[in-house]
Amino acid sequence: MRALFCLFLSLPLAACEEQGAAPVQEKASPVSSADWKSYGDPLGQSPKVELTTLLRDPTAYAGKQVSVEGSVRRACSAKGCWMELADGNGAKAAGCRVTFKDYGFFVPTDSAGSLARLEAVVEVETVKKSHVEHMEGEGATFENKNSDGTAREVRLVASGVQLKRPM
């Protein structure tokens, strides 16, 4: 682990091994923190779940904290207080809304098109008609809208988000 940390900091492996780090078996590419912008808390070690898997059976993950990745399809045009995460770039790609824990941070309003990785708690609930209308006014869409104006929604409540613009 220390050797990977040394690679991350671009320190020579020999210096790390002198401090008791195990040698690295494969050459790892250093991660450039400049590539990703962070919002909220640092990402932890929650179990990674593919977004398509989560969306196929969201109730299996309800109430659990997970780590997911995807493409930002849309973001709140007013403040950046939510975004839609999708498993691809197409309009028909499966996706869900991401909100931010305790309304404690926002993402840029121009985040659409970015790659995202985040740590979040999965929620599955029915959204009131008034909230659906409010969100639609900010550019949101609801795939599972009911005839009474409410909507069943899979939502990720993120404690931390990292965004990266594609090259």
Side-chain angles (χ1 to χ4, degrees), residues 36-46 65-69 105 116-120 158-163:
W36 294 88
K37 289 242 185 196
S38 296
Y39 304 89
D41 294 337
L43 301 185
Q45 299 296 318
S46 296
Q65 185 163 311
V66 297
S67 175
V68 296
E69 295 181 5
F105 64 97
R117 53 189 183 198
L118 54 100
E119 192 165 49
S159 55
V161 173
Q162 291 182 334
L163 297 177

Side-chain angles (χ1 to χ4, degrees), residues 92-108:
K92 301 263 187 203
C96 65
R97 185 152 350 279
V98 178
T99 59
F100 310 112
K101 184 179 177 184
D102 298 328
Y103 213 58
F105 64 97
F106 302 134
V107 296

Side-chain angles (χ1 to χ4, degrees), residues 39 71-75 83 107-115 163 165:
Y39 304 89
S71 299
V72 179
R73 181 172 27 211
R74 289 181 191 84
M83 66 184 188
V107 296
T109 56
D110 65 350
S111 295
S114 296
L115 301 174
L163 297 177
R165 298 280 181 189

Side-chain angles (χ1 to χ4, degrees), residues 56-85:
R56 198 173 307 124
D57 187 12
T59 55
Y61 298 95
K64 296 179 182 173
Q65 185 163 311
V66 297
S67 175
V68 296
E69 295 181 5
S71 299
V72 179
R73 181 172 27 211
R74 289 181 191 84
C76 170
S77 61
K79 295 188 234 184
C81 60
W82 57 265
M83 66 184 188
E84 287 180 15
L85 191 67

Side-chain angles (χ1 to χ4, degrees), residues 22-41:
V24 176
Q25 299 300 319
E26 297 178 16
K27 182 175 175 156
S29 313
V31 176
S32 171
S33 61
D35 291 343
W36 294 88
K37 289 242 185 196
S38 296
Y39 304 89
D41 294 337

